[in-house]
Amino acid sequence: MKKKGFWNRFKRLSKPKGRPQWGQAFRAIFLMIIAAIVAKFMGLDNGIMAIMFVTLIATIIIETSLPLRKVAILTFLGFFMTVLAFVSASLSLSNIGIFIFFTVIWAFFGISLYIFGSVEGSLGFTFFLIYFLAVLLVNNQSNTFDWTIYALLSYLVASVLFIPKIWFEKKKIRKMVTIGFNPETNIQNIFSVKNILSDIPLRMDYINIFKFGSYFKILRKYSNLIVARLTPKQHKYFNNFLNHSDEFAFKIGDHFNNDKGPVNLSAIDTELLTLESQFVKNSDNSETVMDISHGIRDILFESNTILSGDWGREKKVIKAYKKSLREVLDANFHLNNLYIRHAIRFTIAITISLIFVYLTRERSAVWITMGVLIILKPDISSTVDNLISRVGFNLFAIILAIIFSFIFPHNLLIWLAFIMLFLFRAFYPNYMGFSVMAITVFIVLIWPTGTVFDNAISRLVDIALGGIIAFICAYIILPSRVNVNLPNQLFRTIQFNINTANQILMAFKKKINNKKVSKCFNNYMKEENNLEAAVKKLEDSYKDINDDLELYQEIIASNNKLAADLLALSAIFNKNEDVSANFESKFVEIKNMLHNIENFLNGDLKPLKISLNNFSKGYGNIEVTDLDQIINWIISDLQLIQKGLEIANETGALQRYRKLT
């Protein structure tokens, strides 16, 4: 376990998160050109630059990998916020007081959305980027109504991208609902897709295939946790069965996606008989392994019936119970929250920077502001990371721009600039380092202040100054220094989840106390943010810790999912006070599991007793109620948390990382 040096941190920060998006880049540049031509034809010469860049932003929003209905809502919201941003900037032209007011509102609102989650936070940051673009582009040559027209034209041109989205919507949804059958996915992916698909009407075969894929992924994750505890011989046969189950699961997903009909699963029963012959009854791990294996077999066979059955046209929705606005605000809207402190810090720093842009319109002021914008992050270590990566990639970009200026004649540099814009879109968001490089070269070539060499050096100095300012702000303005005991923070977060569960489970004896449940859940959400920061600190600080990091992330993912499932259970209880009476035995089982985990958290680090009846008896059944399904999920979540904690203790992961600074 070694501390990460500069080069290791730079490599991690520049690591790609996916493939380049060449098709999206081509479509974005093509539509930008079309938008410019239409604007020229309509006599909107003063707005061509704004129209082109807003079109680029609109294409990024529309090509977001979400279901059509949610993309449409997001696009309308993007258009509304774009109009609002240009109107705000236009109204501010003649009065610095109005400008400061709008800047403070936009900056704080955009960044504070991170308290709702990373997706909402990224959306809020995008809204502020639109306002920042509006501040740079708005001038007195057009009135407020003109800027609204520019935004409308941009989104109308970009809306052409809805045609292929409509065409491929069915295929996209099918791929999303079969995510659990993909061996490369994890529980966090399942949780994310469930939220994405929530409130979208889906046919029952889609909902059931998603449900069985989710169950399959939970069993596979649990099997991965215990497989290392087997003897070499047991490991060999159990691992062979699991590999075959992965192959058949992938085939089921592929057949569902492409309407190929059912899969021949006869080999699964053969593999199961072979596995049974190698495990002596009542031997160590025998019952656990066979329960999991039968559960996997049942899920695959039930999933296969969906491929051949006629499920009609009835539609329902996948329910994903989310935190309410009031709950999130009550839990997070205070100075102890990392993201609220960041929102205040960001608002102060960016407002001061933009005042200089407003007063001088100097390009150096713009670039320094961009440095603050892209480098300042919620805590000091994240700000340092961004300083390393952004300044580093900008240095490479400056060198590249200077090389281009020596190799190519001046009249070709404009074309190279647009190639850079194409690369910016292709690399965004999966190769952020290269994306930053490309947009920097683009701006250096398209927005010169003298020779390319002079412009490049000036921009490097400016972006470095912006980074230094961001670094100083991170230290001076409400500094968020994350000094944590990671195992203790994990325990605290799980404990607050247990408190929430115990309050909800009291409902099968008496009426649920919503105020106490809400208070427990708010405490959980406070700790959840701190745990997220602690895990990031671990990732930033050490190398060669992949196993420990993955184990912590899996436990956290299961704990997050438990919180969501508990919310769902609470909602069902609130609708029907008597529904819990028929499930008292299940609730007793859950309470026993909660008690075992609580004892473990309090220092009784003995192996946890885990009941696996739910694996073999609950999942292979299509006809279950919402309450059945939620209870199955909760038991599964607790089983994964229990086993994860046990293995983390055995491997020493709970004894390490007690002083991350």
Side-chain angles (χ1 to χ4, degrees):
M1 189 176 73
K2 296 180 180 179
K3 280 275 189 179
K4 284 185 177 178
F6 174 87
W7 181 243
N8 289 106
R9 293 179 76 176
F10 184 78
K11 285 196 298 183
R12 182 188 66 77
L13 296 168
S14 59
K15 185 179 179 180
K17 298 179 181 178
R19 297 178 179 178
Q21 300 182 351
W22 303 115
Q24 291 91 326
F26 175 80
R27 291 189 289 272
I29 299 301
F30 176 75
L31 289 175
M32 286 175 68
I33 295 171
I34 294 298
I37 293 172
V38 173
K40 185 72 176 177
F41 179 78
M42 295 176 64
L44 305 176
D45 296 50
N46 186 55
I48 287 179
M49 186 68 72
I51 289 169
M52 291 181 70
F53 280 105
V54 172
T55 301
L56 175 61
I57 293 172
T59 61
I60 293 174
I61 292 174
I62 294 173
E63 297 225 276
T64 302
S65 184
L66 292 173
L68 182 63
R69 176 178 295 198
K70 295 196 173 182
V71 172
I73 294 171
L74 194 60
T75 302
F76 176 79
L77 184 60
F79 166 70
F80 176 76
M81 298 302 284
T82 302
V83 171
L84 206 58
F86 277 101
V87 169
S88 300
S90 180
L91 293 175
S92 303
L93 284 175
S94 58
N95 190 306
I96 191 172
I98 296 175
F99 173 76
I100 293 173
F101 171 78
F102 279 129
T103 301
V104 169
I105 295 297
W106 277 94
F108 185 80
F109 166 75
I111 302 305
S112 64
L113 289 183
Y114 274 104
I115 66 175
F116 294 94
S118 59
V119 174
E120 291 84 354
S122 298
L123 185 62
F125 186 73
T126 301
F127 291 156
F128 182 77
L129 287 180
I130 294 171
Y131 173 74
F132 178 71
L133 181 66
V135 170
L136 299 184
L137 296 177
V138 167
N139 54 57
N140 286 317
Q141 297 175 14
S142 298
N143 57 41
T144 302
F145 180 74
D146 290 336
W147 294 107
T148 302
I149 295 298
Y150 300 157
L152 178 61
L153 175 60
S154 301
Y155 272 85
L156 285 176
V157 172
S159 65
V160 172
L161 293 174
F162 275 107
I163 297 174
K165 287 193 77 71
I166 294 171
W167 185 266
F168 293 109
E169 177 70 358
K170 183 178 179 181
K171 184 176 181 180
K172 176 182 285 294
I173 296 295
R174 279 178 171 265
K175 188 174 182 180
M176 293 179 77
V177 298
T178 56
I179 186 173
F181 295 101
N182 185 342
E184 297 180 0
T185 61
N186 55 41
I187 293 174
Q188 194 63 28
N189 297 142
I190 299 284
F191 192 29
S192 176
V193 169
K194 183 179 180 182
N195 287 329
I196 290 172
L197 292 175
S198 63
D199 304 322
I200 295 176
L202 299 173
R203 279 175 20 195
M204 285 306 299
D205 53 344
Y206 284 59
I207 291 177
N208 281 312
I209 204 73
F210 175 75
K211 180 181 70 174
F212 283 127
S214 303
Y215 291 157
F216 176 79
K217 185 55 61 179
I218 284 180
L219 287 176
R220 283 295 287 112
K221 177 51 62 180
Y222 192 86
S223 64
N224 288 341
L225 289 174
I226 69 167
V227 72
R229 271 64 198 158
L230 304 178
T231 65
K233 185 177 180 181
Q234 290 175 332
H235 181 283
K236 175 184 175 182
Y237 285 96
F238 187 41
N239 205 48
N240 188 53
F241 173 80
L242 295 176
N243 288 337
H244 278 87
S245 70
D246 282 344
E247 292 175 10
F248 284 110
F250 184 82
K251 287 181 180 179
I252 286 173
D254 179 65
H255 279 226
F256 185 83
N257 288 336
N258 297 289
D259 287 320
K260 293 181 180 179
V263 177
N264 184 355
L265 296 178
S266 57
I268 281 289
D269 283 333
T270 303
E271 290 290 336
L272 190 58
L273 289 173
T274 303
L275 182 64
E276 287 177 336
S277 68
Q278 300 301 320
F279 279 80
V280 179
K281 192 174 182 180
N282 298 324
S283 65
D284 290 344
N285 300 306
S286 174
E287 183 180 354
T288 300
V289 168
M290 295 319 301
D291 276 343
I292 290 176
S293 302
H294 281 282
I296 287 175
R297 184 262 181 205
D298 291 346
I299 288 171
L300 292 178
F301 271 81
E302 289 288 357
S303 302
N304 206 33
T305 63
I306 296 175
L307 302 183
S308 57
D310 181 12
W311 292 84
R313 296 291 170 180
E314 181 187 1
K315 290 187 176 183
K316 289 188 178 181
V317 296
I318 293 174
K319 295 180 181 179
Y321 294 85
K322 301 179 181 179
K323 310 162 191 174
S324 71
L325 175 63
R326 182 176 178 178
E327 286 173 330
V328 176
L329 294 179
D330 286 346
N332 296 294
F333 206 81
H334 50 76
L335 284 179
N336 291 328
N337 185 277
L338 186 74
Y339 293 112
I340 294 299
R341 294 162 73 88
H342 174 52
I344 295 173
R345 185 188 310 118
F346 180 87
T347 301
I348 294 172
I350 211 71
T351 300
I352 293 172
S353 301
L354 279 179
I355 287 173
F356 283 101
V357 174
Y358 180 89
L359 294 175
T360 67
R361 292 291 168 177
E362 285 287 335
R363 289 167 185 174
S364 290
V366 173
W367 273 78
I368 291 172
T369 305
M370 288 172 61
V372 176
L373 181 66
I374 64 177
I375 291 172
L376 187 59
K377 290 296 177 182
D379 67 278
I380 292 172
S381 63
S382 297
T383 301
V384 173
D385 282 349
N386 259 18
L387 186 62
I388 292 171
S389 63
R390 297 299 189 261
V391 175
F393 278 109
N394 271 283
L395 174 60
F396 295 150
I398 297 304
I399 294 171
L400 190 61
I402 293 172
I403 293 173
F404 283 161
S405 69
F406 283 115
I407 295 177
F408 298 101
H410 184 75
N411 59 344
L412 284 181
L413 293 182
I414 187 69
W415 296 106
L416 278 173
F418 277 96
I419 292 174
M420 290 299 113
L421 191 61
F422 169 83
L423 293 176
F424 158 76
R425 178 61 188 97
F427 291 134
Y428 179 87
N430 294 327
Y431 285 72
M432 283 305 297
F434 290 135
S435 186
V436 168
M437 281 182 62
I439 197 65
T440 299
V441 175
F442 168 78
I443 296 175
V444 167
L445 297 179
I446 204 78
W447 197 15
T449 53
T451 66
V452 172
F453 179 82
D454 292 338
N455 188 33
I457 297 301
S458 298
R459 300 297 73 83
L460 181 60
V461 171
D462 293 339
I463 202 78
L465 284 173
I468 292 170
I469 292 171
F471 183 70
I472 292 172
C473 290
Y475 263 98
I476 294 178
I477 306 173
L478 298 173
S480 297
R481 294 182 176 89
V482 183
N483 301 314
V484 294
N485 180 328
L486 180 55
N488 184 59
Q489 186 59 53
L490 176 66
F491 285 7
R492 283 175 59 82
T493 310
I494 294 174
Q495 181 63 62
F496 280 117
N497 229 356
I498 290 174
N499 295 345
T500 305
N502 284 327
Q503 284 295 329
I504 292 172
L505 291 176
M506 290 176 66
F508 75 82
K509 292 184 177 179
K510 59 182 179 180
K511 185 177 180 181
I512 190 169
N513 188 324
N514 288 310
K515 287 185 178 180
K516 288 186 177 180
V517 170
S518 180
K519 183 178 179 180
C520 291
F521 189 70
N522 287 346
N523 289 331
Y524 159 75
M525 285 194 289
K526 291 176 185 177
E527 298 303 326
E528 184 184 33
N529 276 338
N530 294 332
L531 182 57
E532 178 184 320
V535 172
K536 188 179 187 311
K537 174 69 73 175
L538 173 63
E539 186 178 7
D540 291 344
S541 301
Y542 295 98
K543 59 182 179 179
D544 303 325
I545 56 163
N546 291 339
D547 291 342
D548 285 354
L549 185 63
E550 182 179 358
L551 186 54
Y552 269 103
Q553 288 172 336
E554 291 294 348
I555 297 172
I556 293 168
S558 299
N559 194 45
N560 291 345
K561 188 175 176 304
L562 173 62
D565 293 333
L566 289 172
L567 275 180
L569 185 62
S570 177
I572 291 175
F573 282 175
N574 281 320
K575 289 180 181 178
N576 189 339
E577 297 177 11
D578 299 325
V579 75
S580 60
N582 298 324
F583 293 88
E584 183 167 346
S585 62
K586 286 264 188 173
F587 293 148
V588 170
E589 180 183 357
I590 292 174
K591 285 183 72 69
N592 289 336
M593 296 174 73
L594 292 170
H595 180 69
N596 289 339
I597 295 175
E598 198 162 23
N599 285 341
F600 186 94
L601 299 180
N602 290 328
D604 186 12
L605 304 181
K606 297 177 181 177
L608 293 162
K609 296 180 180 179
I610 300 176
S611 169
L612 288 170
N613 291 333
N614 190 64
F615 278 128
S616 58
K617 297 179 181 178
Y619 290 165
N621 180 10
I622 292 175
E623 299 299 331
V624 294
T625 66
D626 286 344
L627 185 55
D628 284 319
Q629 187 170 331
I630 293 300
I631 291 172
N632 285 347
W633 277 122
I634 290 172
I635 293 176
S636 301
D637 300 335
L638 290 170
Q639 288 165 336
L640 285 171
I641 291 171
Q642 287 183 207
K643 197 62 182 179
L645 288 172
E646 181 184 332
I647 293 174
N649 182 54
E650 290 177 7
T651 58
L654 295 181
Q655 284 70 50
R656 295 187 282 270
Y657 319 119
R658 292 187 174 274
K659 193 175 180 181
L660 295 173
T661 58

